[in-house]
Amino acid sequence: MHTATPQTNKIMPTLAPQFRFAIYPASAVRALTGANEGDAIGLGDAALPGDTYRLAREAQPQRLTICDGPDGGQVVAEGSEVGRPGEPLRIADCHSFMGTKGEMIDVLVLERSGEAGGAVLHLLPLAPLEPGMEYDLIGSSTANAPEHFADIASVSFLAGTHLTLAGGEQRRVEDLKVGELVLTRDHGPRPVRWIGQQTRRAAGAAAPIRIAAGTLNTARDLRLSPQHRLFIWQRRDELGTGRSEVLVRADLLVNGTTVTREQGGHVDTYQILFDGHEIIFAEGIAVESLLVTSEIRARLPEGLTLDDSPDGQRDAAGLEVDEGELGDSADAAARLTRASRGQDGDQT
């Protein structure tokens, strides 16, 4: 990675998280009526359209961390509340449900190898599931499951976002070209090697995050994918992390006022890739570029070579702030804004 070395003596994990998600065990969602009445939702005939399901009232989400495995594909990463680091993880299916109000909710089924060698299923909802509510299974699609996962796992800029070029020009991301020089925090001008573009649904876990102008010192409103991490230089250690440099996921800053989740419709997203992982500037503040993952590598043009060493992944994990360090999301953005300015806690 091309960020500064973390100011910590902690040993970096070898399976550093690339993504973090809130999941439920498949046993928390059971059929109320239909052919599988009483059974937990599963794969194939264990999930039939027309069956009605309910998320248990006592169900509590758990944190799953994911990274690329040494042989390709996803595995459980360090810091996960589910599974053991290194266990293979497969995006097995995508179930589509309809709620009582007509809302459509897609739920990914993740399959991992359990300790006893058998398969263990987990559910990753792409929109909130309410405990105790009933949902009708409309259908399932194994083929579309990886695409749905990419919708929530990508690190993307939304159309209209201004990036800082090497000469200081502010260029909209949709007007950026491969080969153009973008200003990076640690290595100065660096050429763009690849740009990915998708049009995606702005719903549930894939709904973009809007950071209002002025918050975290943004020059204009900044819109990012939920998993996108912002780089914050703490002039004062507001978070008590013991380090001045931190990376924080955009979705952890949502407070309903200055940082919001934009639901509804479709959005055009852009993924910017350099030779290695970089910190660049979007709407005037530092954010990360795209990490090379197994999914991204599969989409790259044939013959394009990049620095895909795990160093960037490990270093990013060493800088990333988790939920415990961040504290209450209601004022996290304000605290980080103060920290970046070196202000006392009672200043605005």
Side-chain angles (χ1 to χ4, degrees):
M1 162 129 172
H2 301 283
T3 53
T5 301
Q7 299 177 5
T8 176
N9 294 323
K10 182 175 64 174
I11 297 175
M12 292 292 95
T14 57
L15 293 171
Q18 290 173 322
F19 309 108
R20 293 170 169 81
F21 301 107
I23 63 169
Y24 294 97
S27 59
V29 176
R30 293 185 176 274
L32 296 178
T33 62
N36 293 306
E37 183 175 350
D39 295 339
I41 195 165
L43 302 172
D45 290 342
L48 297 176
D51 287 0
T52 299
Y53 288 84
R54 182 171 62 194
L55 175 63
R57 296 183 185 276
E58 67 277 9
Q60 294 294 325
Q62 294 178 292
R63 182 177 68 248
L64 171 68
T65 61
I66 297 176
C67 68
D68 281 351
D71 300 322
Q74 281 87 31
V75 299
V76 177
E78 299 282 351
S80 181
E81 295 178 343
V82 174
R84 295 177 299 173
E87 283 184 343
L89 193 71
R90 184 172 72 94
I91 316 300
D93 210 342
C94 180
H95 296 323
S96 296
F97 293 92
M98 178 178 290
T100 55
K101 299 179 181 178
E103 70 276 21
M104 296 294 297
I105 299 176
D106 291 327
V107 177
L108 293 179
V109 182
L110 310 181
E111 183 181 62
R112 67 176 178 86
S113 301
E115 295 184 12
V120 180
L121 300 182
H122 302 279
L123 305 179
L124 172 53
L126 303 188
L129 285 176
E130 296 185 35
M133 298 297 293
E134 296 182 7
Y135 299 93
D136 293 330
L137 181 61
I138 304 302
S140 303
S141 175
T142 302
N144 290 335
E147 180 180 348
H148 284 298
F149 178 77
D151 284 346
I152 62 172
S154 65
V155 171
S156 306
F157 299 97
L158 272 67
T161 301
H162 294 81
L163 303 184
T164 302
L165 301 191
E169 177 189 348
Q170 300 295 300
R171 179 77 59 81
R172 293 188 307 177
V173 65
E174 62 266 36
D175 298 329
L176 196 63
K177 301 291 191 269
V178 170
E180 289 193 284
L181 296 178
V182 172
L183 180 64
T184 71
R185 179 182 183 273
D186 298 298
H187 300 97
R190 282 292 184 266
V192 174
R193 298 298 310 281
W194 179 79
I195 299 174
Q197 192 276 324
Q198 294 86 31
T199 299
R200 293 175 171 151
R201 281 199 308 158
I209 307 300
R210 179 188 289 271
I211 301 172
T215 305
L216 299 172
N217 307 311
T218 52
R220 288 175 287 262
D221 285 6
L222 173 60
R223 301 165 73 216
L224 302 168
S225 56
Q227 294 279 328
H228 213 141
R229 292 178 292 195
L230 298 95
F231 178 89
I232 309 294
W233 173 270
Q234 293 192 102
R235 297 179 184 273
R236 299 179 70 257
D237 190 5
E238 180 77 22
L239 300 183
T241 59
R243 59 187 187 273
S244 57
E245 299 173 334
V246 296
L247 284 168
V248 58
R249 286 201 335 261
D251 64 347
L252 293 182
L253 300 175
V254 172
N255 56 22
T257 53
T258 60
V259 184
T260 54
R261 191 183 291 272
E262 294 188 322
Q263 297 274 7
H266 290 75
V267 292
D268 292 325
T269 64
Y270 295 83
Q271 300 166 326
I272 308 300
L273 195 62
F274 299 89
D275 279 313
H277 191 231
E278 298 284 359
I279 298 297
I280 60 178
F281 298 90
E283 304 300 5
I285 67 170
V287 299
E288 69 174 335
S289 68
L290 187 65
L291 268 172
V292 178
T293 65
S294 58
E295 290 187 345
I296 294 299
R297 194 176 297 112
R299 294 167 49 197
L300 296 177
E302 186 175 353
L304 178 63
T305 58
L306 300 167
D307 175 15
D308 58 354
S309 74
D311 293 346
Q313 184 179 332
R314 286 195 296 265
D315 289 353
L319 293 175
E320 187 169 358
V321 173
D322 62 26
E323 294 89 334
E325 292 176 309
L326 191 63
D328 187 359
S329 62
D331 68 349
R335 293 172 63 203
L336 285 170
T337 301
R338 291 195 300 266
S340 65
R341 295 173 179 170
Q343 294 177 330
D344 293 331
D346 58 353
Q347 291 181 294
T348 59

